[in-house]
Amino acid sequence: MSAVTYARYELVRTLRSGGHHVFTLALPLVLFAVVTAQNPGDDGRGRPIAFYVMVAMATWGGISAMIDAGARIVAERTGGWNRQLRITPLPAWVFLGAKVGCAYLMAVAVLATLGVAGAVAGVRLPAVDWAGLAALMLLGLLPFAALGVLLGHTMSLDRIGPVGSAVTVAFALVGGSWGAVVPDALARWVPSYWMVRLPEAVPGGWPPLAWAVIGVWTLATTPLAVRACRRDTGRH
């Protein structure tokens, strides 16, 4: 099996996972519609409330897309598919790359869907700002991509559901996707906090602290994910 063939196969499987899409794509969109319907005004500076809600829901949906990749890894480990792949010439990085790549495609779908919904609700940005917003959001998802792989290689099939949901909800809650619940002094140390606050960073970009937080989380979670993958592979 070539890398291209496997990547295509993984993409088809991802698109057919309808149950995952309900939580990753549909729920953030529904909540966006409900919240913006109740808050049709602006922030007092000319930006509609819908802009902030759109980014907050995209953060939640993007994190969910990354953690869902871990659930698919667990399912394949349990079914023995991983062992079958390891006796083929397919490199391990292709397997993981396809998982993370498909997770990012789902995240892009979330951003695009909520972007259209936001535009319908009155969000108006120059094209360069839309592009900058999307790029920063995808960069902010890097530690969650590693976290999804880590969970995929350490959780069992009966645990990944509740653990993955708890992780997604925790980061969305602390980051402020559903409003300020945790004081800023604490919340600012998680990547989702800065993703939710992207409306304040466009145009201009994140402050240095945001880059530092996202960078540290990425550097911390990536080696753990790689180690978990290697350890899990070594057992079979």
Side-chain angles (χ1 to χ4, degrees), residues 1 7 29 31 50 59 80 83 102-103 111 131 160 181-182 192 197 221:
M1 182 187 299
L29 185 61
L31 191 55
T59 299
R83 288 193 294 271
C102 286
L111 293 178
I160 186 61
V181 177
V182 177
S192 51
R197 279 149 189 81
T221 53

Side-chain angles (χ1 to χ4, degrees), residues 113-179:
T113 302
L114 285 165
V116 171
V120 171
V123 178
R124 299 289 181 266
L125 291 174
V128 65
D129 286 350
W130 279 111
L133 181 70
L136 290 175
M137 181 68 72
L138 295 177
L139 283 172
L141 289 173
L142 284 173
F144 299 107
L147 188 57
V149 172
L150 175 62
L151 292 176
H153 285 285
T154 54
M155 292 288 106
S156 62
L157 189 60
D158 59 339
R159 291 181 180 178
I160 186 61
V163 171
S165 296
V167 169
T168 301
V169 169
F171 276 106
L173 193 65
V174 173
S177 287
W178 304 311

